[in-house]
Amino acid sequence: MPEPTRTPRVVVVGAGIGGLVTALLLAHRGLRVQVLDSAATPGGKMRQLHPGGQPVDAGPTVLTMRWIFESLFRQVGEELADHLSLRPLSVLARHAWGDDEGRHRLDLFADRARSADAIGRFAGAAEAQRFLAFCDEARRVYRTLEGPYIRSPRPSVPGMIAALGPRGLAQLTALGPLTSLASLLARRFQDPRLRQLFGRYATYCGASPWAAPATLLLVAQVEMDGVWTVAGGMHALARTVADLAAARGAEFSHGSTVTEILETHGRTSGIRTADGRVFEADAVVFNGDADALAQGHLGAAARRAVPPRRASDRSLSALTACVLARTNGFPLTRHNVFFQRDYAAEFRDVFQADRLPRQGTVYVCAQDRDDDAADPGRPERLLLLV
């Protein structure tokens, strides 16, 4: 009689959201899945800290492009709405400039007409019309790239060219093939504060608006398609995905630092942890910093998996602080951005002088606030980011 087929074993290194999604999908398909992470809880950057004993989202604070997770849940026979409570935000962010924030303050809304009205009062009717044209352009770029790039599992330049066709290529070419986001915004808006506001999209991926591509204007469409808060914080989403994976047989080992990816006869055969344990596997999925492999931090065998990258080629992170504190003065909403007047100086400090910005833009997520910006009347949970 033929031997029964052995169920493949997969080790996932890293319980960030990519590793959790991988574990869920593989476990749902019947594979034996082991997830290891050095942290005490799942989520990676989608984590919580507890200043004053209160849970504060310390990484992502809202959900956009919810269709990605709706699709994921349906792939495993579940519905996102059955597991998580999502609430749409009508105020995308409150932006402030200078010392007199009450006079130099602008809210953007999920409703573009409300945003246009606000911009008209803030910067004049002509800028409001430019904003509406900018929104139309962002929608066209998003729709152009949605299929061949955003939804593609493995986008490539040849594949995108073939999928875009003449009309799609013309749409992207109109932006300028080598145009930076800052250059595009300089042509689209006259008010430097609006250029500064929309230039912030580059920082979402750790870049400078003077270096990032103009196609990042599509973030405007992503946000107008919807921004949601998650009851229990974004960490609740990570925990839910982990729970669904565990319900399908995935095993989790937290507090486990992987030190080596093992190889036998030229094939990946498992991993070794810092305390000497070995987990055998037919495949290893690494959900961590790819440069850790290139630098040999997980052994010589894994070093060949990816080429090394220069430090200057890597995107930047941020300085963050989670606090529990009373606030006063400025009327915070959920998302608040406090700009300095010389935006370019921040990026010269970082990218040219290799130092922290002497005067940096500060993002404040007031996690006990709603759209109406009501003061909770008690110490509130804040994520501060530079």
Side-chain angles (χ1 to χ4, degrees), residues 13 40 53 55 90 133 148 158 188 193 216 268 323 325 328 338 341 357 372:
V13 180
S90 62
R188 299 300 186 265
R193 296 169 299 180
L216 280 178
T268 300
V323 300
N328 59 70
F338 298 90
R341 293 199 179 278
D372 61 6

Side-chain angles (χ1 to χ4, degrees), residues 167-180:
R167 177 176 294 182
L169 289 172
Q171 170 66 43
L172 296 184
T173 302
L175 296 177
L178 301 177
T179 300
S180 70

Side-chain angles (χ1 to χ4, degrees), residues 134-223:
F134 175 76
C135 290
D136 290 340
E137 187 174 26
R139 182 190 296 113
R140 289 194 299 269
V141 171
Y142 181 88
R143 301 301 180 225
T144 297
L145 292 175
E146 185 175 17
Y149 184 75
I150 296 171
R151 291 181 182 263
S152 173
R154 291 190 176 183
S156 66
V157 172
M160 286 180 58
I161 291 174
L164 288 171
R167 177 176 294 182
L169 289 172
Q171 170 66 43
L172 296 184
T173 302
L175 296 177
L178 301 177
T179 300
S180 70
L181 180 60
S183 297
L184 176 82
L185 295 172
R187 299 197 303 268
R188 299 300 186 265
F189 296 102
Q190 292 186 1
D191 192 309
R193 296 169 299 180
L194 296 179
R195 299 174 186 173
Q196 190 176 21
L197 190 161
F198 296 111
R200 185 168 168 269
Y201 294 157
T203 67
Y204 290 11
C205 58
S208 161
W210 282 268
T215 47
L216 280 178
L217 91 162
L218 61 77
V219 174
Q221 181 61 41
V222 169
E223 293 187 339

Side-chain angles (χ1 to χ4, degrees), residues 53-337:
Q54 297 297 310
V56 179
D57 276 339
T61 56
V62 290
L63 180 67
T64 58
M65 301 174 77
R66 64 180 285 176
W67 57 264
I68 292 176
F69 285 97
E70 288 174 335
S71 173
L72 167 69
F73 277 54
R74 286 169 185 156
Q75 287 182 63
V76 298
E78 305 283 349
E79 289 293 331
L80 180 66
D82 292 339
H83 294 272
L84 292 164
S85 176
L86 306 182
R87 185 179 65 81
L89 287 177
S90 62
V91 180
L92 298 180
R94 175 161 293 168
H95 309 84
W97 290 261
D99 296 328
D100 182 8
E101 288 92 350
R103 186 164 60 88
H104 300 286
R105 191 169 78 221
L106 173 64
D107 289 355
L108 285 188
F109 301 90
D111 184 329
R112 73 179 227 164
R114 289 186 68 189
S115 292
D117 288 343
I119 289 173
R121 293 190 298 271
F122 178 77
E127 288 292 75
Q129 290 301 312
R130 294 186 185 100
F131 167 74
L132 292 174
F134 175 76
C135 290
D136 290 340
E137 187 174 26
R139 182 190 296 113
R140 289 194 299 269
V141 171
Y142 181 88
R143 301 301 180 225
T144 297
L145 292 175
E146 185 175 17
Y149 184 75
I150 296 171
R151 291 181 182 263
S152 173
R154 291 190 176 183
S156 66
V157 172
M160 286 180 58
I161 291 174
L164 288 171
R167 177 176 294 182
L169 289 172
Q171 170 66 43
L172 296 184
T173 302
L175 296 177
L178 301 177
T179 300
S180 70
L181 180 60
S183 297
L184 176 82
L185 295 172
R187 299 197 303 268
R188 299 300 186 265
F189 296 102
Q190 292 186 1
D191 192 309
R193 296 169 299 180
L194 296 179
R195 299 174 186 173
Q196 190 176 21
L197 190 161
F198 296 111
R200 185 168 168 269
Y201 294 157
T203 67
Y204 290 11
C205 58
S208 161
W210 282 268
T215 47
L216 280 178
L217 91 162
L218 61 77
V219 174
Q221 181 61 41
V222 169
E223 293 187 339
M224 282 186 287
D225 280 342
V227 176
W228 290 267
T229 60
V230 180
M234 286 292 288
H235 184 62
L237 173 59
R239 283 193 173 277
T240 298
V241 176
D243 289 344
L244 290 175
R248 287 155 176 79
E251 297 181 4
F252 288 80
S253 179
H254 286 286
S256 298
T257 300
V258 176
T259 57
E260 185 178 5
I261 295 177
L262 304 174
E263 184 181 274
T264 303
H265 304 306
R267 294 182 61 86
T268 300
S269 58
I271 60 93
R272 179 179 286 113
T273 62
D275 58 6
R277 290 179 297 163
V278 171
F279 292 80
E280 296 182 349
D282 300 291
V284 174
V285 177
F286 182 69
N287 177 220
D289 185 347
D291 203 53
L293 302 180
Q295 297 298 325
H297 296 315
L298 281 91
R303 174 175 262 161
R304 299 191 299 271
V306 294
R309 306 191 75 181
R310 298 177 301 173
S312 59
D313 292 336
R314 293 163 61 80
S315 63
L316 295 179
S317 186
L319 292 178
T320 63
C322 293
V323 300
L324 184 70
R326 291 189 180 275
T327 64
N328 59 70
F330 186 87
L332 296 170
T333 185
R334 178 82 178 194
H335 296 287
N336 311 269
V337 183

